Amino acid sequence: MRIGSPLSACMAAAVLVAAGSTRATVAARPAPRPALPDLVVDGATVDLVGEHAFDTVVVRNTGVLSVTQYAGVRGGGELTLRARRIAVDATSRITADGAGWRGRLEGKGEGPGGGEGGDVAALGATVAPTAGDRPLHPTGSGAGGGYGGRGGDGILDSRRGEWRGGRPYGTAGGDAVELGSAGGAPPPSHHETRSIGGGDGGGVIRLIADEVVIAGRVSADGDPGGAATYDAAGGGSGGGIVVRADRLDVSGTISAMGGRGGEAYDVAGSGGGGRVKIAYRHGVLDPAHVRVGPGKGPCPGDKVSPWACGGTLDVVRAPVPAYVPLALRGACIVDARRAIALVMDVSASMTLPTRAGRPAIAAAAEAAGTFLARMGAAERVAVVSFAGDAAVLQVLTEDHAAARAALGQLATGNGSRIDRGLEAGRVALSAAWPTERRVMVVVTDGAASSDLGTVRATAAAARAEGVTLYTVGIGAEVNQPLLIELAGEASRHFLAPDAEDLAALYAAIAGREAGCRLP
């Protein structure tokens, strides 16, 4: 379902469950499985809250997927997305900024780490430990909220904290995250003609998928505190973000920053940083792309200061559970997603009959079709043919029916330019996503009709780029030493005495490259 205009959380959930793609999250068993919808936020702003399962989540073209703010009801301010793939392009974001515990116009902010603030009922009742029994004037600026890090203190007359920042809570490790707490606010007084609200804490975002690609921004930042002439309010703390992925690519930003304290004559405390927890097996994560700092720092320790403390980042690089919707737990889960290029020799000798009496090219196409049937539903395939030249008959696609149709278009020609077939396969795989495992399967029935040095160099270039290369030779006159060299190791070369034997060899490759495991 493509979203092109804002929807309420309830409406979005209702519409998306009723529509979407028929692709599934996991590889198929023979038994039928339910389809999941897609969520595509394209150049729009969509509000969503709660837990949702999709096949694919894409936020693109300045799209914003916004978490509905906590409003006093359990589960508010939190969004959990479970999907096969979640992608946020460089212009877009998923945001829970200010979606957590709420700041008040007067007094302490909401939440376990709410920053302290003025209360009309407490006038004259607050006593500073360092000031003996002298009552303090409780109209200084409010303190910042805490969660992963301590909130900053409120300041009175630029010299001491009237209100204390919120303390940390929750855990740095594990799976649990919580809403960020709000900043405190000063009470109305003769200083100001209006009340000033504390900054709201950040909300919670959980992204649980086979693949997570973040080129834009995923954030649960705390809001800044308001400010007037003399008094200001504390910033909210950062919230919580969980990312669980088999394959992860983060070139954008993951942020759970605290909100800055309001800056007036009396400076308010900034919010502490939140908590970010990431577990993944394959991919790229530079910690510089993750921000859990305070609204303003550095952390002052126990010293009275409007500066706050940073939050926590927990990164686990290890196998993680496959987070599959309950309805799909009877299916087989693909361990690693692949982009596979089938590179088929269509030289003139492929017109010769097999032992079953049919053209070798027909047997090769049928065998390749059985290989497609063994691939995971989420995996992508390209089809390349070569004779005197090479052609990409099908670019990388998840539509395996389209790939089978491309196999039906195989037509023989003169020559056997294996180098051009390898190069076309490499180019087809260049469209793979950064976290896809790239695999090339080359099927040929004869010797190369081009310079062998060029053939070797082309195969080596593909392997150097991370492509896993398999070679399958057909017939008794295949140059096996060359094909083993092209594959890079003997275990990735297979020999089929006749094209009718290709199906069994494809099954062996599929069992090695497209295996699955039970949940």
Side-chain angles (χ1 to χ4, degrees):
M1 179 68 183
R2 176 173 295 172
I3 305 297
S5 60
L7 292 178
S8 68
C10 293
M11 183 180 295
V15 172
L16 293 170
V17 169
S21 75
T22 57
R23 297 193 305 275
T25 304
V26 293
R29 279 181 172 178
R33 61 190 176 187
L36 288 174
D38 288 343
L39 171 60
V40 180
V41 181
D42 192 346
T45 297
V46 173
D47 293 330
L48 202 58
V49 71
E51 183 169 342
H52 303 270
F54 298 103
D55 178 68
T56 299
V57 176
V58 178
V59 188
R60 65 192 183 198
N61 297 329
T62 70
V64 179
L65 183 55
S66 179
V67 180
T68 306
Q69 186 177 24
Y70 170 74
V73 178
R74 183 177 177 83
E78 301 188 25
L79 176 63
T80 300
L81 296 175
R82 298 176 183 271
R84 175 179 57 81
R85 184 172 191 263
I86 299 173
V88 183
D89 81 4
T91 69
S92 304
R93 58 196 172 104
I94 299 176
T95 175
D97 294 351
W101 292 103
R102 299 164 295 182
R104 296 167 174 156
L105 289 178
E106 300 171 9
K108 183 178 179 179
E110 287 185 338
E116 292 182 350
D119 186 339
V120 174
L123 284 173
T126 302
V127 177
T130 58
D133 294 330
R134 179 173 61 83
L136 295 177
H137 193 277
T139 58
S141 290
Y147 172 33
R150 173 186 181 276
D153 300 314
I155 294 296
L156 175 66
D157 295 337
S158 304
R159 64 177 183 270
R160 64 176 182 271
E162 186 73 27
W163 306 114
R164 297 296 186 259
R167 294 304 190 259
Y169 54 97
T171 59
D175 291 324
V177 289
E178 302 179 50
L179 300 175
S181 292
S189 71
H190 62 278
H191 287 160
E192 311 293 353
T193 59
R194 62 185 178 88
S195 296
I196 306 160
D200 299 326
V204 165
I205 296 173
R206 301 180 185 91
L207 304 180
I208 303 166
D210 290 337
E211 180 177 43
V212 176
V213 180
I214 302 171
R217 182 177 178 86
V218 173
S219 62
D221 294 344
D223 280 345
T229 303
Y230 293 95
D231 297 331
S237 76
I241 298 176
V242 171
V243 178
R244 295 284 184 264
D246 187 65
R247 293 163 299 282
L248 177 68
D249 181 14
V250 180
S251 58
T253 300
I254 298 174
S255 179
M257 295 278 291
R260 195 178 182 97
E263 296 189 0
Y265 177 80
D266 288 334
V267 180
S270 287
R275 297 191 188 276
V276 175
K277 303 179 180 184
I278 301 173
Y280 69 107
R281 177 163 51 176
H282 306 291
V284 179
L285 176 65
D286 182 346
H289 291 280
V290 183
R291 299 175 181 175
V292 290
K296 186 175 182 179
C299 179
D302 293 330
K303 186 174 72 172
V304 173
S305 169
W307 293 347
C309 302
T312 60
L313 168 62
D314 181 59
V315 178
V316 177
R317 183 71 183 270
V320 297
Y323 290 86
V324 183
L326 290 175
L328 300 179
R329 286 192 177 171
C332 181
I333 301 166
V334 176
D335 266 339
R337 180 169 174 162
R338 281 155 287 265
I340 302 176
L342 299 179
V343 180
M344 312 290 293
D345 185 342
V346 293
S347 58
S349 57
M350 291 293 285
T351 61
L352 297 175
T354 67
R355 60 175 179 263
R358 56 179 176 162
I361 193 169
E366 180 181 295
T370 65
F371 180 79
L372 291 176
R374 293 174 177 269
M375 289 176 58
E379 295 181 300
R380 299 197 294 164
V381 63
V383 178
V384 174
S385 67
F386 71 91
D389 205 346
V392 178
L393 303 181
Q394 174 62 58
V395 297
L396 279 176
T397 180
E398 294 174 5
D399 187 346
H400 295 177
R404 287 189 183 88
L407 290 170
Q409 299 172 15
L410 293 175
T412 57
N414 295 320
S416 183
R417 292 294 302 268
I418 299 177
D419 58 324
R420 293 184 179 177
L422 289 167
E423 178 63 17
R426 186 188 68 80
V427 172
L429 290 175
S430 68
W433 291 313
T435 51
E436 283 182 315
R437 175 176 164 81
R438 290 174 292 165
V439 178
M440 189 188 309
V441 182
V442 181
V443 179
T444 179
D445 74 336
S449 61
S450 54
D451 177 69
L452 295 186
T454 302
V455 175
R456 293 187 179 98
T458 307
R463 295 196 310 271
E465 292 177 357
V467 174
T468 300
L469 205 158
Y470 290 87
T471 57
V472 179
I474 305 174
E477 299 182 1
V478 171
N479 186 344
Q480 279 193 281
L482 173 65
L483 295 186
I484 291 173
E485 186 177 354
L486 299 184
E489 60 179 68
S491 66
R492 292 202 296 271
H493 169 65
F494 297 83
L495 179 62
D498 187 88
E500 300 291 349
D501 301 314
L502 282 173
L505 297 183
Y506 271 128
I509 296 173
R512 178 170 172 175
E513 276 298 322
C516 63
R517 58 186 172 80
L518 294 178

